[in-house]
Amino acid sequence: MLLNIKNIDVLYDDFQVIWDVSLNVQQGEMVALLGPNGSGKSTILNTISNLINHRQGAIYFNDELISNQPTFCRTSLGISHVLERRRVFPHLTVLQNLILGAWHEKAKEAREESLSKIYKIFPKLGMRSDQLAHTMSGGEQQMLAIARGLMGLPKLLMVDEPFLGLSPMVVKDLIGIFKNVVNEGISILFVEQNVRLALSMADRGYVLESGRLVIEGNSEDLIDNEQVKKVFLGN
């Protein structure tokens, strides 16, 4: 088991937003974290990265307790987090953005090899290495954000809303990239609003409602599940 979250509670000051959530991600697995807007999906990812602290419970990564480790330590252990809305450095080039992803010692040592792999996975980035990020399309910026995450040599890649606002053609390209990443042995945990799309890609899914985990299971069991439909559509 790569990531193992046990019974975490998360609060913003005195306002609780996550109640007793447990989930896990296996090595080489793609897992979807689903739920309506405001259900706590991004909060879970931010907690795994330690952008937000949890009050109760524990987080393990590769059987190591990381609950009290700072964000930079979690990144060097192999957790990369691609935030929602892409968040590339707009006035830096593609290459400069990628280099910033390889910030810790192991990633720096493998930087040239990683760049070569990235340009094979994302050929458009190789052709535009000197282009400023803010001049790229939304889909290209999303690819850059994911590629920058991969430059950190992750064992787990977390991506928040990877397909938001993208064209069907770009979504199709990204799905293929996600599958290639998993085939390389890297696990993916991603947040997505489109339930059917997410479950068509993922091995397993977790569904949150109002900060609580209400259902989990294999994707084929969830895709037409009536309880999942009620969470998103109501009674």
Side-chain angles (χ1 to χ4, degrees):
M1 190 177 297
L2 185 63
L3 175 72
N4 190 13
I5 298 174
K6 295 185 175 182
N7 310 108
I8 62 168
D9 292 344
V10 180
L11 291 80
Y12 291 113
D13 295 324
D14 294 326
F15 183 73
Q16 188 163 354
V17 292
I18 298 294
W19 283 264
D20 195 34
V21 166
S22 298
L23 61 85
N24 64 75
V25 180
Q26 308 288 338
Q27 184 71 43
E29 184 180 40
M30 195 185 312
V31 176
L33 187 56
L34 308 167
N37 284 332
S39 59
K41 305 182 299 298
S42 296
T43 298
I44 294 291
L45 297 194
N46 290 338
T47 304
I48 296 167
S49 292
N50 198 37
L51 301 178
I52 303 171
N53 293 322
H54 62 282
R55 298 286 181 91
Q56 301 291 333
I59 301 175
Y60 294 85
F61 189 73
N62 258 348
D63 295 325
E64 178 180 350
L65 180 65
I66 63 169
S67 293
N68 297 319
Q69 292 200 16
T71 300
F72 73 90
C73 287
R74 301 186 192 197
T75 305
S76 60
L77 286 172
I79 300 174
S80 282
H81 185 181
V82 180
L83 298 167
E84 62 180 333
R85 300 191 184 97
R86 298 179 270 280
R87 311 286 181 93
V88 296
F89 296 100
H91 298 290
L92 298 182
T93 66
V94 167
L95 179 58
Q96 289 168 332
N97 269 273
L98 292 174
I99 288 173
L100 285 173
W103 66 269
H104 61 82
E105 204 58 41
K106 287 182 180 178
K108 285 179 181 176
E109 292 172 1
R111 191 171 67 188
E112 294 306 315
E113 181 183 352
S114 296
L115 278 172
S116 178
K117 287 183 179 179
I118 288 299
Y119 288 153
K120 288 178 181 176
I121 297 172
F122 303 90
K124 284 186 179 179
L125 300 183
M127 293 185 289
R128 303 186 183 194
S129 62
D130 295 325
Q131 184 172 341
L132 294 178
H134 76 89
T135 66
M136 304 173 77
S137 70
E140 290 164 345
Q141 289 185 33
Q142 184 64 287
M143 289 182 185
L144 177 55
I146 293 169
R148 186 180 60 195
L150 291 171
M151 287 291 293
L153 303 180
K155 298 179 178 72
L156 173 67
L157 180 68
M158 302 191 302
V159 191
D160 198 342
E161 298 280 10
F163 310 122
L164 184 65
L166 302 183
S167 70
M169 185 66 71
V170 175
V171 170
K172 182 179 179 182
D173 289 343
L174 282 176
I175 291 171
I177 288 165
F178 274 37
K179 291 179 179 179
N180 289 337
V181 167
V182 170
N183 288 338
E184 291 288 325
I186 300 170
S187 302
I188 294 178
L189 175 63
F190 71 102
V191 163
E192 177 53 40
Q193 290 287 339
N194 187 325
V195 178
R196 189 163 291 275
L197 171 63
L199 293 177
S200 70
M201 298 167 51
D203 299 296
R204 293 188 297 116
Y206 291 90
V207 181
L208 289 169
E209 184 177 25
S210 301
R212 293 176 170 85
L213 184 64
V214 292
I215 188 169
E216 61 182 278
N218 294 326
S219 291
E220 59 267 26
D221 297 328
L222 296 181
I223 200 161
D224 290 313
N225 184 285
E226 290 301 320
Q227 187 178 355
V228 173
K229 293 177 183 177
K230 287 180 181 178
V231 169
F232 284 90
L233 301 176
N235 293 323

